[in-house]
Amino acid sequence: MAQFMSYFIVLALLAFAPPLCFSHKTKSGYLYPQFYDHSCPQLQQIVKSVVAKAVARERRMAASLLRLHFHDCFVKGCDASLLLDNGGGIVSEKGSNPNKNSVRGFEVIDEIKAAVEQACPHTVSCADILALTARDSTVIVGGPNWEVPLGRKDARGASLSGSNNDIPAPNNTFNTILTKFKRQGLNLGDLVALSGAHTIGNARCVSFRQRLYNQNNNGQPDVTLNHLYASKLRNQCPRSGGDQNLFFLDYVSPFNFDNSYYKNILSYNGLLNSDQILLTKNHASMKLVKQYAENMELFFHHFAKSMVKMGYISPLTGKRGEIRQNCRRINTY
């Protein structure tokens, strides 16, 4: 109960922190923070309340909810296609390699959607709920606040192939990851800032095992991984088996949104290959890693700005898309 109340206290305090405001135009339509001010004035408080309860029940949930927004936006845009289940001719993105046995938090989105539908029927999209949930999940664990542009519609289809191909993978090269970001209209700065989401959450053994045993197909561990850290990881991530064993992405402060992720990278204690290569494979990204490690306020500012920018990836607006009544399936007419 004490932990449960503490999250509400944190949320109450953070509610007074001024949100960072950014303007951004998109060819895909107009999104703005006040979109639901008249049609669903309770929306923001409903989302905050449910997120607070969910994180109080399980601290890891903040990272899981933030990740849902990433994995949605990188496939066909921020259109809630990730939330669709199999059925009715739809092959769900939940079964893709990046998502299977990995993405979670769908029940929390269902809970938010049910509460919003009760307050404002047929009004708020699941895509907008994902965007708000990502922001509130960040704030409640100590991260920056920002105004979320709203007005997205929901997709009436999913893309399993897009999910398999477009989401950056832990073992991708730096250039491959950067290419995937640029494909979405994001740049190197966005890549380094948004990677900071790994200051919270977990990764599975299968996501980084090659760094411990066979990084370059030579039977040797990754030379850019601190050997003491690697030794600890090998205790719970064996050469075979234990694929689903979980490890903190930021072992220093795994439940706090801060800049220790970048400090870990500077010490060669980045868990994933995609984390550590921000330091070792590109001079510009190395410079940003050092800046964020030294200046948390700068990281927070850039992270919030990049989250808003990511939220503008190919939104469905106007007459395109729909407002799903149930986030797991398209409407039937």
Side-chain angles (χ1 to χ4, degrees):
M1 177 63 73
Q3 184 193 39
F4 182 82
M5 291 302 297
S6 70
Y7 275 100
F8 279 100
I9 293 171
V10 170
L11 183 62
L13 290 172
L14 289 171
F16 292 100
L20 298 174
C21 305
F22 305 100
S23 60
H24 189 95
K25 293 181 179 179
T26 172
K27 296 178 181 178
S28 303
Y30 295 95
L31 307 179
Y32 52 97
Q34 301 80 19
F35 189 85
Y36 297 107
D37 280 5
H38 297 293
S39 60
C40 192
Q42 314 98 310
L43 172 62
Q44 305 252 0
Q45 189 52 47
I46 291 172
V47 176
K48 284 183 180 180
S49 177
V50 177
V51 170
K53 292 175 185 176
V55 176
R57 288 192 299 264
E58 183 189 5
R59 297 170 76 186
R60 178 188 169 203
M61 188 55 69
S64 298
L65 294 173
L66 175 57
R67 188 165 179 247
L68 283 179
H69 188 40
F70 280 89
H71 281 223
D72 178 45
C73 289
F74 267 75
V75 183
K76 301 198 310 94
C78 307
D79 60 4
S81 61
L82 172 59
L83 302 180
L84 290 169
D85 286 340
N86 285 317
I90 290 173
V91 180
S92 176
E93 294 169 15
K94 296 174 184 178
S96 70
N97 292 328
N99 293 334
K100 189 176 182 181
N101 298 320
S102 181
V103 288
R104 58 198 295 277
F106 299 109
E107 295 79 8
V108 178
I109 302 300
D110 292 339
E111 186 179 350
I112 294 171
K113 180 61 173 175
V116 170
E117 281 296 308
Q118 186 173 7
C120 322
H122 318 312
T123 302
V124 180
S125 70
C126 301
D128 279 342
I129 287 174
L130 283 178
L132 287 169
T133 301
R135 189 272 312 275
D136 292 343
S137 297
T138 300
V139 170
I140 201 171
V141 291
N145 194 4
W146 65 89
E147 284 195 318
V148 179
L150 301 166
R152 302 167 187 82
K153 295 285 188 67
D154 298 323
R156 289 183 55 82
S159 176
L160 181 64
S161 62
S163 188
N164 276 319
N165 296 321
D166 296 338
I167 296 173
N171 300 325
N172 283 159
T173 65
F174 181 89
N175 287 335
T176 296
I177 294 173
L178 182 59
T179 296
K180 289 182 178 182
F181 268 72
K182 287 184 175 180
R183 204 180 292 156
Q184 307 295 349
L186 303 174
N187 59 31
L188 182 143
D190 299 315
L191 163 59
V192 181
L194 292 175
S195 294
H198 286 177
T199 186
I200 54 175
N202 299 265
R204 297 173 296 157
C205 167
V206 70
S207 299
F208 61 88
R209 174 184 283 121
Q210 89 290 339
R211 297 192 72 203
L212 303 179
Y213 303 102
N214 191 29
Q215 174 68 359
N216 297 307
N217 297 316
N218 59 2
Q220 298 298 315
D222 187 348
V223 295
T224 68
L225 180 63
N226 182 293
H227 69 279
L228 292 177
Y229 185 39
S231 179
K232 293 179 180 178
L233 294 172
R234 280 192 289 266
N235 288 333
Q236 297 298 320
C237 185
R239 194 178 295 269
S240 62
D243 285 3
Q244 306 304 315
N245 292 351
L246 293 175
F247 297 78
F248 293 130
L249 285 160
D250 168 12
Y251 70 91
V252 174
S253 54
F255 299 110
N256 298 325
F257 199 101
D258 55 28
N259 65 338
S260 60
Y261 164 80
Y262 298 102
K263 295 177 181 179
N264 293 340
I265 291 174
L266 290 179
S267 301
Y268 296 94
N269 289 321
L271 181 63
L272 304 179
N273 185 65
S274 56
D275 297 325
Q276 197 59 55
I277 59 177
L278 297 179
L279 180 72
T280 60
K281 296 298 184 180
N282 183 277
H283 181 75
S285 66
M286 175 185 69
K287 186 176 179 180
L288 284 171
V289 167
K290 291 180 177 179
Q291 289 177 344
Y292 294 158
E294 294 173 359
N295 189 336
M296 188 164 74
E297 185 177 349
L298 179 67
F299 162 49
F300 277 18
H301 180 76
H302 286 180
F303 181 83
K305 192 172 182 179
S306 291
M307 284 295 292
V308 171
K309 188 175 176 182
M310 186 185 75
Y312 274 97
I313 298 175
S314 303
L316 298 174
T317 57
K319 295 182 179 180
R320 299 185 305 142
E322 65 179 14
I323 304 294
R324 280 186 224 141
Q325 297 179 39
N326 181 326
C327 291
R328 292 176 180 265
R329 57 178 179 266
I330 63 174
N331 297 335
T332 55
Y333 299 99

